[in-house]
Amino acid sequence: MKTITVSASKTYEVLVGSGLLDQTGELTARVVKPCKAAIITDSTVDALYTERTRRSLEQAGFETLLFVFPAGESSKNLTVFGQALNFLAEHRLSRSDLIVALGGGVVGDLAGFVAAVYLRGIRFIQIPTTLLAAVDSSVGGKTAVDLDTGKNLAGAFWQPELVICDPDTLATLPERTFREGCAEVLKYGLLIGEEFLRSLEETPVSDQLEAVICTCIAYKRDIVAGDEFDRGQRQLLNLGHTIGHAVETKADYRLFHGECVAIGMAAVIRAAVQMGHCSAALRDRVLALIRKYGLPTETEFTADELYAVCCSDKKIASGTIRLVVPAAPGGCRLLPMPVSDLREWLEKGLAV
Ligand code: NAD
Ligand code: GLY
């Protein structure tokens, strides 16, 4: 088992290791005295992993409750959020009790936000079961639900007590879901530097899963320690996301988040070359790597269409944005610009 300690407004451990799911109870009891533990999960993960999680928690003395919602991004909304809060209240969960977020990024974001708000904040742990959640969303304390007006528009920073990541649980992921997680890993490849990027070129993520998760989380630990509340360097984690989110919205969620991030990374690196920030050699290398992982590098949408989405995006519509621009492996930087400059980046980025 590998342990990575995150120091933010709360200090907590991320435990990564094969078979850890069945040790959930004893690992949790190290940081939270046995109490009521409300497992929040989605319908797919429930069928696969609730029973083992529940058994382990009960063996360690926790009394378990279970709230299950339909799998998918469309459940990450205020209605399900309200249902979960009412469930906890009906079962009289108190401030000394615990929420267990068992699932991918949708479960983690929703359950984390429930934990942040219920009784003005109770403790929660994250058990990520997708690659995306393992390398990114389960760590760092960003929680949220989507509003009708946009993605992740209501949320809170609320750190977990513990993250338990058992890479064996990723074995049941549909191939497309695993691949979209690889997009976030490739993002880390560009952010972290040459050695990690090369290892992703030479060895598939699936053949070095535990090491990849640990490398990504160790990088995110450092970023979160320096900028928990996303005012500066944490925004580097948005590499590929500004354009990616516009594609995601325009595709009306037919494309997965990671697929859109891959398209966003491809677009931003193409434009970065034309704007003189990055070499054509790195662009070609990154595009080849994205394709090697079976991810898209092009979109059917035009620069005008995506620019219109960016202008209506509540999070970026006003004033200045900071675009993450790749210059070298390990050398990405935040480039502040008026939103109107995005049009040129989009035009250059989409020109194949
Ligand atoms: P997800 O949670 O919807 O999981 C994808 C699908 O895989 C779902 O149908 C789920 O039921 C299924 N699944 C989960 N684990 C499984 C397993 N082990 N075996 C089989 N099926 C399994 O989506 P995701 O890709 O994990 O996360 C996307 C969400 O994460 C988005 O809402 C995004 O906004 C959010 N996100 C948050 C952060 C953050 O820092 N908080 C970072 C990145 C993304
Ligand atoms: N995934 C972006 C962040 O945690 O900041």
Side-chain angles (χ1 to χ4, degrees), residues 23-336:
Q23 295 172 45
T24 297
E26 60 187 273
L27 296 172
T28 305
R30 287 188 198 169
V31 293
V32 179
K33 271 206 319 234
C35 57
K36 277 187 192 167
I39 299 170
I40 298 184
T41 190
D42 71 28
S43 46
T44 305
V45 180
D46 177 44
L48 292 165
Y49 298 116
T50 292
E51 205 181 307
R52 283 167 58 192
T53 309
R54 202 167 194 173
R55 194 182 319 124
S56 177
L57 283 164
E58 287 177 358
Q59 277 167 0
F62 291 89
E63 179 192 336
T64 62
L65 307 165
L66 177 62
F67 178 83
V68 183
F69 62 82
E73 181 75 30
S74 58
S75 288
K76 207 177 109 175
N77 60 36
L78 286 173
T79 305
V80 177
F81 173 71
Q83 289 164 351
L85 288 172
N86 273 313
F87 173 88
L88 301 181
E90 279 158 16
H91 289 85
R92 300 190 182 284
L93 237 77
S94 74
R95 272 223 182 109
S96 53
D97 291 323
L98 180 73
I99 289 175
V100 177
L102 173 68
V106 166
V107 168
D109 279 14
L110 184 127
F113 190 32
V114 168
V117 168
Y118 183 68
L119 301 180
R120 300 193 181 86
I122 73 168
R123 297 169 299 178
F124 84 117
I125 66 165
Q126 290 265 20
I127 306 183
T129 64
T130 63
L131 180 56
L132 181 145
V135 299
D136 197 345
S137 63
S138 63
V139 175
K142 273 192 187 175
T143 74
V145 295
D146 304 331
L147 301 184
D148 294 342
T149 37
K151 203 168 142 63
N152 294 330
L153 287 188
F157 289 96
W158 192 247
Q159 301 291 342
E161 302 297 312
L162 178 69
V163 181
I164 301 173
C165 177
D166 180 347
D168 295 352
T169 61
L170 309 189
T172 51
L173 285 174
E175 197 197 323
R176 188 176 168 199
T177 311
F178 185 81
R179 263 194 273 129
E180 71 149 341
C182 289
E184 298 284 358
V185 174
L186 299 184
K187 173 192 84 176
Y188 280 107
L190 252 181
L191 289 171
I192 292 174
E194 179 58 34
E195 192 184 336
F196 185 48
L197 189 64
R198 202 170 338 108
S199 88
L200 299 174
E201 290 172 322
E202 289 170 357
T203 312
V205 169
S206 51
D207 290 353
Q208 47 165 342
L209 208 42
E210 193 167 320
V212 162
I213 293 169
C214 290
T215 303
C216 295
I217 293 304
Y219 178 80
K220 187 159 183 180
R221 167 202 58 200
D222 296 342
I223 289 273
V224 169
D227 178 26
E228 178 176 357
F229 298 110
D230 209 14
R231 299 200 175 95
Q233 63 171 356
R234 187 165 179 169
Q235 293 167 20
L236 286 170
L237 296 172
N238 293 337
L239 174 62
H241 283 61
T242 305
I243 297 175
H245 274 154
V247 174
E248 201 171 354
T249 307
K250 197 72 196 147
D252 203 17
Y253 302 105
R254 271 181 295 111
L255 290 174
F256 287 0
H257 174 76
E259 293 166 343
C260 299
V261 169
I263 292 168
M265 275 192 296
V268 85
I269 202 162
R270 278 194 207 100
V273 172
Q274 294 181 59
M275 306 274 209
H277 295 279
C278 168
S279 71
L282 181 61
R283 173 200 61 201
D284 294 345
R285 200 177 155 194
V286 169
L287 292 181
L289 188 58
I290 295 173
R291 290 180 190 132
K292 189 171 175 178
Y293 277 88
L295 290 159
T297 52
E298 272 104 48
T299 172
E300 68 200 84
F301 303 116
T302 65
D304 278 350
E305 285 172 327
L306 296 180
Y307 181 66
V309 176
C310 292
C311 290
S312 64
D313 182 330
K314 304 277 176 298
K315 278 190 282 196
I316 63 175
S318 58
T320 309
I321 60 154
R322 296 212 248 176
L323 192 68
V324 188
V325 175
C332 299
R333 63 191 187 93
L334 291 165
L335 192 66

